[in-house]
Amino acid sequence: MENVRKSYGSHVAVDGISFELKAGELFGLLGPNGAGKTTLISVVTGLSAADSGTVTLRGLPVGPGHPAIRGRIGLAPQELALYPELTARENARFFGQLYGLTGADLDDRVAAALDAVQLADRADDRAGAFSGGMKRRLNLALAVLHQPDILFLDEPTAGVDPQSRQAILDEVLRLNAGGMTVVYTSHYMDEVQAVCRRVGIVDNGRMIKCDDLHELLKLDASRIRFPAVGRVAAWGSIPGISEVATSHGVTELTAKAPAIALPHVVRVLRELGSDGHALELRPPTLERVFLLLTGRELRD
């Protein structure tokens, strides 16, 4: 994408975003509600035309005026894209035919896709009778039948059970390991932190931060937590500690340099008669980085 803008009337949904994906990358795309993620995905998948700027996939233009490129793009939208009155197999055959698959090739792709999301034994059951997790898994299967170069996943685990969630994550990692480029959008920051190696954060239509995950996590600090003990005014003077807070009987120290701070914390706890067994070190998280960059105000 290069300097892409998209407006709806006076509302600027995407405001000059530029970024590049590498082939085979598993990229996390984050943003609060209303930040412009859905519009961005609509533009980069060719469903909506940008007002200005360019989108290309391996040098080929992407947009409503270039329908042929859609065969190289996969999309599993947040709103389930399947027909509830059709069986899982019938859904898969229909979507495969839309991409020009026929005959034995279609049969093989359908069987492989349903097996990959663990729905082979329910292939002839009506999709409308599936659980939420099964529908999400079918949604993913339909998006990859044509073996796209790049796959966009918009909230792929929304509202699913833990088993389906893990099955979807495992399949995403398998697809990526096989060379498929994946853009993963989710409000579940732990998922993005677990599977993505680079992350972009969108807010107010702009890409406010885009970096490798380990660089983003440097914006946060570790937390050292333990049951509040004694009246220790010296916690803040410990090397590596930047903030001290005590609430509901728990003291939390913000540590930019936890390796330096921890020995001092343990020493003071022992001096106060605590054995330190309840001490907990919480590493930096993508969720805290996200809140730091986008703020804590509600987005409805």
Side-chain angles (χ1 to χ4, degrees), residues 24-28 153 156 165-166 168-174 176 182-186 188-199 213 286:
E25 188 169 13
L26 209 171
F27 182 83
L153 301 174
R165 180 191 190 201
Q166 190 58 57
I168 289 170
L169 291 175
D170 288 345
E171 178 60 9
V172 169
L173 290 171
R174 189 191 70 81
N176 181 245
V182 179
V183 178
Y184 195 100
T185 298
S186 178
Y188 298 123
M189 304 291 167
D190 59 330
E191 290 183 3
V192 176
Q193 186 169 342
V195 303
C196 297
R197 294 179 288 277
R198 194 161 67 104
V199 176
L213 177 64
L286 187 56

Side-chain angles (χ1 to χ4, degrees), residues 145-170:
L145 272 168
H146 58 300
Q147 299 176 346
D149 292 339
I150 184 168
L151 172 65
F152 291 86
L153 301 174
D154 192 1
E155 300 290 346
T157 62
V160 306
D161 58 276
Q163 288 80 10
S164 284
R165 180 191 190 201
Q166 190 58 57
I168 289 170
L169 291 175
D170 288 345

Side-chain angles (χ1 to χ4, degrees), residues 5 20 23 38 61 69 79 82 92 108 113 129 139 164 190 230 248 253 283:
R5 292 179 57 88
E20 182 178 356
T38 299
I69 196 66
E79 296 296 330
L82 52 85
D108 291 344
N139 202 45
S164 284
D190 59 330
H248 303 293
L253 311 179

Side-chain angles (χ1 to χ4, degrees), residues 193 214 216-226 235 238-245 251-263 265 279-286 288-289 292:
Q193 186 169 342
H214 71 273
L216 281 176
L217 292 177
K218 289 179 181 179
L219 299 175
D220 188 27
S222 296
R223 267 57 172 184
I224 302 172
R225 293 167 57 92
F226 49 85
W235 289 123
I238 289 178
I241 298 298
S242 58
E243 295 180 27
V244 180
T251 295
E252 181 175 271
L253 311 179
T254 301
K256 279 289 186 181
I260 295 174
L262 269 173
V265 173
L279 184 146
E280 178 186 8
L281 176 63
R282 296 187 174 185
T285 68
L286 187 56
R288 290 200 297 262
V289 171
L292 173 69

